[in-house]
Amino acid sequence: MNTQTTNTKKQTLTSQELFLRRHRIRHRSITACRFLILFVFLFIWELSAQMKWIDSFFFSSPSLVLKCFLDMLYDLSFFTHTGVTLLETLISFVILFFICMAVATLLWVSPLLSEIMEPYLVILNSLPKSALAPLFIVWLGTGLKTIVVAGISVALFGSIISLYTGFMQVDAEKLKLIRTLGGNKKDAFIKVVLPASIPVILSNMKVNIGLALVGVIIGEFLAARRGLGYLIIYGSQVFQLNMVITSIIILCFIAVGLYQIIQFLEHMYKKSRGGRHF
Amino acid sequence: MVKSEFNLNITQYLYQYIFRILYFVFRIIKCKILYLTKLNQTEKSNSHNPLLFIKYNMDNILDCKDISFSYHSLTGETIALSHISFQVKKGEFLAIVGPSGCGKSTLLSIIAGLIEPELGAIVLSNNTRIGYMLQHDHLLDWRTIYKNVLLGPEINRTLTPEKEEYALKLLNDYGLYRFRNKRPGELSGGMKQRAALIRTMMMDPELLLLDEPFSALDYQTRLLVSADIGTIIKEAKKTAILVTHDLSEAISLADRVIVLSQRPATIKSIFDIKLTKLEEGPLAARNAPEFKGYFKKLWEEFQCDN
């Protein structure tokens, strides 16, 4: 009897180990495959450029991109252009965040206002915002202002709608609870709606940071003398495709980096709220 | 000829449209004004008019006078309550039973002042503080049990060191002191309901309104927690109104049971409950010899409705 129980215990332990091992192997092979795809792609690209299967004047090649990147590092233009784009994105993102929170709160406070504004929000949200960029240039001139406004405009209405929807999804009974404790609408918002909506706000921020970057690049295409968007447009106009592709790759890294920052915030939040769970 | 007709149509249409918009705006303004005047009225009625209270027996903590209420929607009117009147004495435990959906919760919301009755009035004896317990505990996940319990004083901006001490004392009394720094998700259903009771008791209410607070619990927990909470309320000498559709719960806890009919709810009958084993607690009261008789009578009242 005794030996039997220890036996089964041993078995469950080994099966758990087996599971962990399988999980590890799976995880590693997935990572390996991801890198493999990247390397194969770069290799074929470089090979076909070297063998003249493709014209590296139009299609560039990894070695040319690397050379261009090093040149940019060397003459410090990398830092100015990347810095300008980053700065504009962050300014847009911060302003966007505060406007969206303010408007969504206002809509939550007044159901009448939200009902009146609903069709406008829906129409403005489905409008392609890049169509507005030329207007911004006329109104605000070329420069930081236009680019920041373009960055804000892309995400603004969708973000207001999703935040407002998030606020409205809070359990109505919890709001009743606040009323039974003698609280008003302000208390309900601060004590219940806001803390309950933090996951929604964070996921909204994740989407917004990407969209702000999109808007900033659109703005820079049309109205800038510096920044990665300007570099892309300039490069394509003077047939410096190396520069274009290098800028695009830098943009990729910026997008991932910004996303990771918000992801980290979300992670910290989850840790602080659920840290003592079980 | 055709063109002018066309123009006429458009102008007519435009006028109609503008008229509609103006009418709409007018209605909004009218609603706002009505709302504001109503606010003023309720403020006035809440201010303490000494003449109003002399007329009533001071033993009564609550006087429901001819309460009627109906819900309105585009498809029609649903009468929830019609002409309900009763009094609650100080220290009494009153149970209101009725079929589900008959408007019991609406009645409690009206007593708590969350909604206005269409007809009738609620008269509370001077400065009665009301505590409300909802069907679910509604503890906030992002707060610890201790912080959840302090929600009421926080909202009323009356959070003092004494209140904090009182919260800890109540947590200790109700066996939740060990769990004060845990999140609601880590507690069992019964414990959460007890934490919700502490949150209500922190407001130091004289009148407790219990809106089926045990119905979300499983049967066993429900028996224990309802007995638990019944004892706590009796010991604290609070007045309580319990709304439930569970007859045995009502008989075991209450001094008096009001039976409501189906919608539109009216008072069908009122029973005074006197059980011999009441001092031994609500759980023992279920074994009292009179229990079965009361249950049968209430059950018959319930049945003849259908």
Side-chain angles (χ1 to χ4, degrees):
Chain A
M1 192 67 187
N2 219 345
T3 48
Q4 242 179 11
T5 48
T6 50
N7 219 349
T8 50
K9 225 178 193 175
K10 232 177 193 172
Q11 254 179 11
T12 54
L13 239 164
T14 50
S15 74
Q16 171 66 13
E17 275 177 353
L18 215 72
F19 167 78
L20 283 177
R21 191 174 299 156
R22 255 189 238 136
H23 181 79
R24 240 185 343 253
I25 289 170
R26 188 185 149 81
H27 191 75
R28 278 181 194 159
S29 49
I30 284 173
T31 317
C33 281
R34 284 171 181 167
F35 276 103
L36 194 69
I37 289 173
L38 183 67
F39 285 126
V40 166
F41 173 71
L42 289 177
F43 177 75
I44 292 175
W45 190 8
E46 182 66 44
L47 186 74
S48 43
Q50 295 290 341
M51 304 297 282
K52 306 279 181 207
W53 295 337
I54 57 171
D55 189 348
S56 61
F57 180 72
F58 292 118
F59 291 98
S60 192
S61 76
S63 58
L64 287 172
V65 167
L66 191 67
K67 188 175 165 296
C68 179
F69 178 68
L70 290 176
D71 284 345
M72 280 169 74
L73 274 182
Y74 185 70
D75 64 10
L76 297 180
S77 62
F78 166 78
F79 297 102
T80 45
H81 291 297
T82 309
V84 163
T85 301
L86 257 180
L87 183 73
E88 284 161 351
T89 308
L90 288 178
I91 293 174
S92 310
F93 174 70
V94 171
I95 297 175
L96 178 68
F97 176 73
F98 284 109
I99 294 177
C100 290
M101 286 298 284
V103 176
T105 309
L106 208 65
L107 293 178
W108 180 83
V109 169
S110 166
L112 186 67
L113 183 70
S114 70
E115 207 170 320
I116 291 171
M117 294 309 289
E118 194 204 335
Y120 291 102
L121 283 174
V122 171
I123 290 168
L124 288 171
N125 182 38
S126 47
L127 185 80
K129 256 62 75 178
S130 44
L132 298 174
L135 275 182
F136 295 147
I137 295 174
V138 176
W139 291 338
L140 303 167
T142 58
L144 186 76
K145 247 190 283 174
T146 307
I147 294 164
V148 167
V149 170
I152 292 169
S153 68
V154 171
L156 185 63
F157 303 105
S159 168
I160 288 172
I161 291 172
S162 75
L163 277 183
Y164 170 67
T165 317
F167 288 171
M168 290 306 282
Q169 265 163 1
V170 173
D171 189 359
E173 285 284 301
K174 285 206 163 64
L175 304 181
K176 187 178 173 184
L177 168 79
I178 297 295
R179 288 188 66 201
T180 65
L181 294 174
N184 53 23
K185 228 168 173 170
K186 194 183 117 208
D187 294 313
F189 189 76
I190 293 172
K191 301 281 182 203
V192 174
V193 175
L194 215 50
S197 305
I198 286 178
V200 174
I201 294 170
L202 281 169
S203 70
N204 188 259
M205 281 166 89
K206 264 199 228 172
V207 177
N208 283 357
I209 193 99
L211 288 178
L213 187 61
V214 170
V216 163
I217 295 301
I218 293 172
E220 282 181 350
F221 278 175
L222 298 169
R225 286 276 156 266
R226 281 178 303 173
L228 292 168
Y230 162 73
L231 222 55
I232 290 170
I233 280 293
Y234 175 74
S236 71
Q237 281 165 356
V238 298
F239 280 93
Q240 281 264 340
L241 278 311
N242 299 334
M243 194 193 270
V244 175
I245 290 173
T246 310
S247 306
I248 291 172
I249 291 170
I250 295 170
L251 268 182
C252 275
F253 280 104
I254 290 179
V256 170
L258 291 173
Y259 186 84
Q260 287 297 329
I261 291 172
I262 311 277
Q263 184 103 329
F264 178 73
L265 276 181
E266 197 174 25
H267 179 73
M268 292 299 287
Y269 160 75
K270 272 188 184 149
K271 220 171 148 186
S272 75
R273 182 181 277 190
R276 265 167 285 189
H277 263 248
F278 306 110
Chain B
M1 184 63 198
V2 175
K3 203 179 174 187
S4 70
E5 209 176 336
F6 178 71
N7 274 340
L8 192 73
N9 274 346
I10 283 204
T11 358
Q12 252 177 355
Y13 181 73
L14 267 179
Y15 273 127
Q16 216 172 16
Y17 205 72
I18 290 168
F19 176 74
R20 266 192 206 164
I21 291 172
L22 283 177
Y23 181 65
F24 180 64
V25 171
F26 169 72
R27 271 207 357 214
I28 291 173
I29 293 168
K30 198 176 132 197
C31 280
K32 276 280 172 211
I33 291 170
L34 270 180
Y35 176 70
L36 288 177
T37 48
K38 214 174 176 187
L39 270 186
N40 283 339
Q41 275 170 9
T42 49
E43 268 165 28
K44 266 179 215 152
S45 66
N46 281 346
S47 65
H48 315 297
N49 183 352
L51 281 176
L52 205 65
F53 293 101
I54 289 167
K55 281 191 246 162
Y56 299 105
N57 187 350
M58 284 311 283
D59 288 347
N60 288 344
I61 194 166
L62 167 76
D63 193 351
C64 267
K65 298 175 63 173
D66 206 27
I67 299 292
S68 293
F69 188 84
S70 43
Y71 289 103
H72 299 275
S73 72
L74 290 177
T75 47
E77 184 184 17
T78 319
I79 303 169
L81 303 168
S82 104
H83 304 290
I84 291 192
S85 303
F86 61 88
Q87 286 88 34
V88 182
K89 287 192 207 64
K90 212 159 196 161
E92 188 182 23
F93 200 125
L94 176 76
I96 300 173
V97 297
S100 28
C102 76
K104 294 170 295 195
S105 297
T106 311
L107 185 57
L108 271 200
S109 292
I110 289 174
I111 293 171
L114 296 181
I115 38 182
E116 290 265 314
E118 287 191 329
L119 286 173
I122 297 291
V123 182
L124 288 164
S125 81
N126 236 337
N127 272 335
T128 304
R129 282 184 302 276
I130 292 180
Y132 201 125
M133 245 180 115
L134 299 163
Q135 201 162 354
H136 295 271
D137 54 76
H138 291 299
L139 297 173
L140 305 177
D141 295 327
W142 50 90
R143 286 168 170 252
T144 60
I145 294 301
Y146 176 60
K147 285 275 175 198
N148 260 299
V149 165
L150 289 179
L151 189 64
E154 241 177 69
I155 284 172
N156 293 306
R157 287 162 195 86
T158 53
L159 190 59
T160 53
E162 290 88 65
K163 280 266 178 194
E164 285 174 12
E165 215 165 281
Y166 184 54
L168 289 175
K169 181 188 168 289
L170 285 181
L171 283 169
N172 194 26
D173 288 354
Y174 303 165
L176 289 174
Y177 190 78
R178 280 195 300 131
F179 303 96
R180 67 189 183 285
N181 289 327
K182 294 252 195 279
R183 307 276 165 153
E186 297 169 76
L187 267 63
S188 70
M191 283 154 110
K192 279 196 266 190
Q193 205 53 261
R194 250 183 291 159
L197 177 70
I198 298 175
R199 183 181 57 200
T200 313
M201 296 294 258
M202 279 303 291
M203 311 295 289
D204 196 22
E206 281 140 25
L207 176 61
L208 271 168
L209 305 177
L210 311 171
D211 188 359
E212 305 204 35
F214 316 119
S215 61
L217 303 171
D218 60 85
Y219 184 68
Q220 214 175 353
T221 325
R222 183 176 179 162
L223 280 186
L224 293 173
V225 173
S226 68
D228 229 25
I229 287 180
T231 316
I232 289 167
I233 290 169
K234 283 256 162 66
E235 274 170 6
K237 295 198 170 54
K238 304 282 183 193
T239 316
I241 302 177
L242 168 73
V243 151
T244 179
H245 58 255
D246 184 335
L247 296 182
S248 51
E249 198 174 275
I251 298 168
S252 70
L253 289 171
D255 305 318
R256 203 150 57 104
V257 179
I258 291 179
V259 183
L260 292 183
S261 68
Q262 238 159 11
R263 213 151 54 195
T266 50
I267 292 184
K268 250 180 155 182
S269 48
I270 299 179
F271 291 93
D272 283 310
I273 308 282
K274 283 195 181 64
L275 298 175
T276 40
K277 288 188 177 176
L278 208 59
E279 58 277 0
E280 287 169 46
L283 213 53
R286 287 178 188 252
N287 293 324
E290 304 90 347
F291 191 86
K292 257 195 173 155
Y294 282 124
F295 191 88
K296 207 174 163 206
K297 266 200 257 176
L298 276 169
W299 181 246
E300 276 161 8
E301 272 299 314
F302 243 68
Q303 285 299 300
C304 69
D305 215 32
N306 304 328

